Amino acid sequence: MEFNTKSGHPEKQRTACVVVGVYEPRRLSEVARRIDEVSQGHLSSILRRGDLEGKPGQTLLLHNVPGTLADRVLLVGCGRERELGDNQYRKVMAQAIRTLHETGSMEAVCYLTELNVRGRDTAWRVRQAIETAHSTLYVFDQLKSKKENTRRPLRKIVFSVASRRELGLAEQASREAQKIAEGARLAKDLGNMPGNICTPSYLADQAKTLCGLHEKLTCKVLTETQLEKQGFGALLAVSKGSEQPPRLIILEYRNGKKNDAPIVFVGKGVTFDSGGISIKPSKNMDEMKFDMCGGAAVLGTMSAAAELQLPLNVVGLIPAVENLPSGGATKPGDIVTSLSGQTIEILNTDAEGRLILCDALTYAENYKPEVVIDIATLTGGCVVALGKHAHGLLSNHNPLTNDLLNAGKDSGDRAWELPLWDDYQEQIKSSFADVANVGGREGSAITAACFLSRFTKKYHWAHLDIAGTAYLFDKKEKGATGRPVPLLTQYLIDRSNEVTVAPPPPPVVVVDEE
Ligand code: BES
Ligand code: MN
Ligand code: ZN
């Protein structure tokens, strides 16, 4: 799919379709009004007859509108103008894209990017438009023997901005959006891939392929023997019950100053989580192929960072394992020694994410990181607490919390903070080891983060629990979401701007000459 931005009059566009908004109740948007004028009231007479109320989700496709050069004009309901916020804008945009795709317009000029969205500027509207277009048209059909082909698919969209002055910003936004969308697509494809194909070694191969595409991106993979030698006792305890060998995937993106401390991402890569000996109920267990979505998000974000050539050093660590029961599997009550030297009593083998993460988090110390951010489908408790809309965010450093919350708000991929108070640490005390891997039902998203916090004392750290947000399991919409690639990439873009934006000039002292 090709995207462009431009500034120009709607009636002058020689294209398959011009897309404009209509507000509820039957009120033309500014651009629609212009088409109405050149067509001598063509649109307003149609609205008067009651063909379109302007509710979000409604569309009306018109052919041969007088005074215009386009083959078609697509009217898109936008709801009440005063109520047009982030979500409504994305819904309206998605509806427009879907309609274009299904009605034979292979290219279009879309003016919905000129709508007034509360508190949002042109760059934001263009970015969200492109990301929405990508996710609306996403299909995962790699494993279907017969693909459903659209006869005349949408190939190219030009998004309009109101003035030429904004074109520079819009183009920058468009570039960012496309790279973010491609990163999210990589994360979705990996997430949707079933566990029999997407194994720890498969993830490692995908990481190598990605690094082959970028000079500044390199990849190293630690094998089971190497992990044993180095003492990854907690990680190895999880993979023991599986015939799939574990991997630690290490990606390094170097495009900052040589001595800039890196930003380190750690992504949970459990390619299937049966629970192990503490086996899960069979209902919906297929969902647990998505238990590597944290790792997939790390790959997607590293891809976006490299494509955007961000002037940063970024490291991605993906501990990848499969959690299965077998005669060789770890048992409840087993005690293992983690890479940090701390001993862990494994009271529940289904709390495996924290076991692979804690060793990867200890390994992250080697990089003397600026910050470490882990991303994991870690707890059912987080799904109960926040549902599918917000990632859970817990951190030992307030400025990092704020940076991530802001990146979430700006990218439309939001996180919500949960408390990482000491009070909760009590729940993971063990009678026989330094720490237990479970803390009971109460506040389980928090006690899971408390467990991780014991391995992150040496640096600034944040944890994103994406159990509720990484994939959807609704009847209608099923599959990986690609989140939090937009949040993490926005965070990196924000960090790059800190690096490259020159400090403000010293204040000019104006001396009054009189
Ligand atoms: N991968 C699961 C968490 C999960 C649950 C993700 C539902 C997505 C949807 C994780 O490994 C797990 O099993 N967590 C347990 C921990 C418990 C045994 C302490 C949980 O949250 O129930
Ligand atoms: Mn589990
Ligand atoms: Zn899991």
Side-chain angles (χ1 to χ4, degrees):
M1 181 84 152
E2 192 188 326
F3 295 100
N4 255 316
T5 53
K6 81 166 171 195
S7 168
H9 296 309
E11 71 278 12
K12 303 234 172 87
Q13 307 303 321
R14 237 177 247 288
T15 176
C17 191
V18 163
V19 184
V20 298
V22 174
Y23 295 113
E24 193 183 345
R26 299 180 303 282
R27 285 191 41 242
L28 296 172
S29 64
E30 228 175 284
V31 184
R33 214 172 311 131
R34 191 174 168 104
I35 296 183
D36 196 44
E37 275 158 27
V38 301
S39 65
Q40 268 132 40
H42 192 77
L43 302 192
S44 38
S45 81
I46 285 173
L47 294 193
R48 250 195 318 276
R49 274 187 254 138
D51 290 33
L52 186 81
E53 184 63 23
K55 287 191 196 301
Q58 289 185 319
T59 55
L60 186 64
L61 189 59
L62 307 175
H63 291 261
N64 309 318
V65 174
T68 65
L69 295 177
D71 301 340
R72 311 171 181 80
V73 171
L74 177 64
L75 303 183
V76 182
C78 298
R80 297 193 181 271
E81 185 168 13
R82 269 182 300 112
E83 288 165 17
L84 186 57
D86 295 8
N87 286 338
Q88 185 153 323
Y89 174 73
R90 275 191 290 262
K91 269 190 203 141
V92 164
M93 189 60 75
Q95 186 62 28
I97 304 287
R98 213 171 295 126
T99 309
L100 287 170
H101 189 62
E102 288 165 3
T103 55
S105 293
M106 297 184 75
E107 46 150 47
V109 182
C110 178
Y111 283 82
L112 299 177
T113 34
E114 291 189 28
L115 294 171
N116 255 321
V117 183
R118 228 182 305 123
R120 298 301 195 178
D121 60 8
T122 301
W124 185 91
R125 293 193 303 262
V126 169
R127 244 188 68 171
Q128 292 291 325
I130 291 175
E131 289 179 43
T132 304
H134 268 274
S135 53
T136 306
L137 299 177
Y138 175 83
V139 280
F140 183 76
D141 59 5
Q142 297 176 44
L143 302 175
K144 299 219 189 211
S145 60
K146 290 193 190 66
K147 326 256 181 234
E148 276 176 40
N149 282 328
T150 304
R151 205 173 64 82
R152 288 173 60 80
L154 182 59
R155 287 265 161 75
K156 179 181 173 190
I157 313 185
V158 179
F159 288 109
S160 170
V161 298
S163 90
R164 301 199 65 83
R165 263 181 299 121
E166 292 181 306
L167 270 180
L169 280 175
E171 262 152 40
Q172 173 64 14
S174 154
R175 198 172 81 93
E176 287 175 5
Q178 292 185 61
K179 301 310 182 188
I180 291 171
E182 281 164 24
R185 183 182 50 207
L186 173 61
K188 284 190 209 180
D189 282 347
L190 292 170
N192 290 331
M193 201 56 89
N196 61 323
I197 297 175
C198 182
T199 59
S201 340
Y202 176 90
L203 274 184
D205 290 343
Q206 293 294 308
K208 284 181 191 154
T209 308
L210 175 65
C211 293
L213 303 173
H214 299 278
E215 207 184 307
K216 289 175 177 145
L217 202 49
T218 56
C219 181
K220 223 172 30 197
V221 177
L222 300 190
T223 61
E224 183 155 31
T225 342
Q226 291 167 312
L227 292 167
E228 276 163 7
K229 259 196 217 133
Q230 297 190 36
F232 285 72
L235 186 156
L236 290 163
V238 179
S239 74
K240 266 175 64 183
S242 166
E243 297 193 358
Q244 294 295 333
R247 295 283 182 261
L248 179 67
I249 304 164
I250 304 168
L251 296 120
E252 298 185 11
Y253 170 68
R254 302 217 161 267
N255 196 32
K257 296 204 197 77
K258 191 156 170 281
N259 293 323
D260 281 354
I263 292 164
V264 179
F265 295 125
V266 178
K268 173 176 174 182
V270 176
T271 58
F272 188 75
D273 179 14
S274 72
I277 297 295
S278 315
I279 198 158
K280 288 180 181 294
S282 54
K283 186 163 179 271
N284 292 348
M285 206 205 267
D286 56 319
E287 276 186 52
M288 285 302 124
K289 71 169 182 177
F290 294 112
D291 216 17
M292 35 54 71
C293 282
V298 171
L299 289 175
T301 304
M302 303 282 292
S303 153
E307 288 281 337
L308 291 169
Q309 300 181 334
L310 299 180
L312 299 169
N313 296 329
V314 186
V315 172
L317 302 176
I318 306 169
V321 300
E322 185 179 61
N323 186 22
L324 288 185
S326 81
T330 294
K331 306 168 292 300
D334 286 0
I335 294 178
V336 298
T337 303
S338 66
L339 182 62
S340 72
Q342 295 176 78
T343 58
I344 303 167
E345 185 181 17
I346 301 178
L347 290 173
N348 189 322
T349 63
D350 196 11
E352 84 297 342
R354 61 199 79 181
L355 295 173
I356 65 170
L357 290 171
C358 72
D359 280 351
L361 287 165
T362 301
Y363 189 81
E365 286 173 13
N366 295 332
Y367 290 95
K368 305 208 166 17
E370 159 110 36
V371 300
V372 177
I373 300 164
D374 80 73
I375 306 103
T377 45
L378 203 61
T379 65
C382 191
V383 190
V384 173
L386 298 175
K388 61 182 170 185
H389 300 296
H391 317 294
L393 168 60
L394 301 101
S395 167
N396 64 11
H397 188 58
N398 271 324
L400 176 57
T401 304
N402 291 333
D403 288 345
L404 290 170
L405 289 174
N406 286 333
K409 283 183 209 154
D410 292 343
S411 62
D413 181 13
R414 287 181 294 184
W416 191 258
E417 191 183 8
L418 299 173
L420 189 67
W421 295 332
D422 274 346
D423 312 49
Y424 294 92
Q425 291 282 353
E426 235 174 81
Q427 288 173 244
I428 51 172
K429 274 192 182 148
S430 158
S431 315
F432 303 110
D434 297 341
V435 63
N437 81 327
V438 285
R441 264 169 41 85
E442 294 177 8
S444 67
I446 301 174
T447 52
C450 283
F451 179 91
L452 298 177
S453 76
R454 307 232 180 168
F455 303 84
T456 62
K457 294 204 192 299
K458 300 204 176 132
Y459 46 69
H460 296 152
W461 159 74
H463 160 64
L464 286 168
D465 193 330
I466 59 167
T469 51
Y471 64 95
L472 297 171
F473 222 64
D474 304 348
K475 274 210 189 72
K476 270 202 313 207
E477 268 190 297
K478 250 187 160 113
T481 60
R483 295 178 67 186
V485 171
L487 181 157
L488 295 174
T489 310
Q490 184 63 50
Y491 171 79
L492 292 180
I493 292 171
D494 294 345
R495 297 286 73 70
S496 331
N497 291 340
E498 271 173 14
V499 176
T500 49
V501 169
V508 180
V509 182
V510 182
V511 182
D512 204 340
E513 290 189 355
E514 276 177 312

